[in-house]
Amino acid sequence: MLISAIILGLLGSFHCIGMCGPIAFMLPVDRTNKVKQFFQITSYHFGRLFTYSLIGLLFGFLGKGFYFFGFQQQLSIVVGVVMILIILLPKTFQKYNFSKPISRLVMKVKSALGKELKKKGNDTFFTIGFLNGFLPCGLVYMAVFGALTTTNSLSGSLYMFLFGLGTIPLMTTMVYIGNFANVLVRKRIQQAIPYVVVFIGVLFVLRGLGLGIPYVSPLPVNEIVSSVKGCH
């Protein structure tokens, strides 16, 4: 399932252009010094990855609770179904603004981000990336769903880290040249994102069903333990 995080990040980064692209393009990097510019951009990405990892740590911890009480399989099915429904019934979910309860926090993050973008110190790039990671984004929500289905904090953190890692290639390109592909190519990839989300949703459902398919739908732990005991 960790591979799904990278795939979601890679293809989802085209969606992220709309949210984070302007921020990446506005980074106060030193364009006269390529080496310095590289480390500044790297610092920015480390900031984003750190935030995503923290978020994954939290939701992985919550997922561990579901796992402890034996609800991990059911949770995986629910998350998969929700992912699919969000794509199939977008208008229904657009009625609900999931970031509204934390709108004040988001406004504070945006305000702090705006101040950091005006600075040019080397330490500001990590802070910009760190704050950037807290901005509400539909693809991040999807990744959070994935982190929630993991069995512990470390796995949840790793899931979100890999998601962020997948967004790096395109986001880096945005910093360097401000544009990556023509409108037609971007439009086609944007159209492919819903299919990717549905595919990942199906993987979560299969995982929750525990059909005994290696790597895709493994048997629940209790069934594996029972089988081992039966052999003895």
Side-chain angles (χ1 to χ4, degrees), residues 147-188:
L148 190 60
T149 64
T150 58
T151 58
N152 55 65
S153 298
L154 184 60
S155 295
S157 182
L158 179 60
Y159 191 95
M160 289 298 293
F161 177 85
L162 291 175
F163 164 76
L165 205 63
T167 67
I168 286 179
L170 186 57
M171 293 299 291
T172 301
T173 304
M174 285 297 296
V175 178
Y176 276 111
I177 60 176
N179 204 348
F180 173 68
N182 60 46
V183 177
L184 181 60
V185 172
R186 280 186 290 166
K187 184 178 179 180
R188 288 181 176 176

Side-chain angles (χ1 to χ4, degrees), residues 199-221:
F199 173 71
I200 293 174
V202 170
L203 286 180
F204 279 123
V205 171
L206 289 174
R207 180 190 179 199
L209 291 175
L211 301 176
I213 305 172
Y215 305 107
V216 177
S217 185
L219 289 171
V221 176

Side-chain angles (χ1 to χ4, degrees), residues 96-104 106 136 141:
Y96 306 97
N97 186 352
F98 296 104
S99 64
K100 190 174 182 180
I102 55 172
S103 56
R104 289 185 179 180
V106 172
Y141 294 156

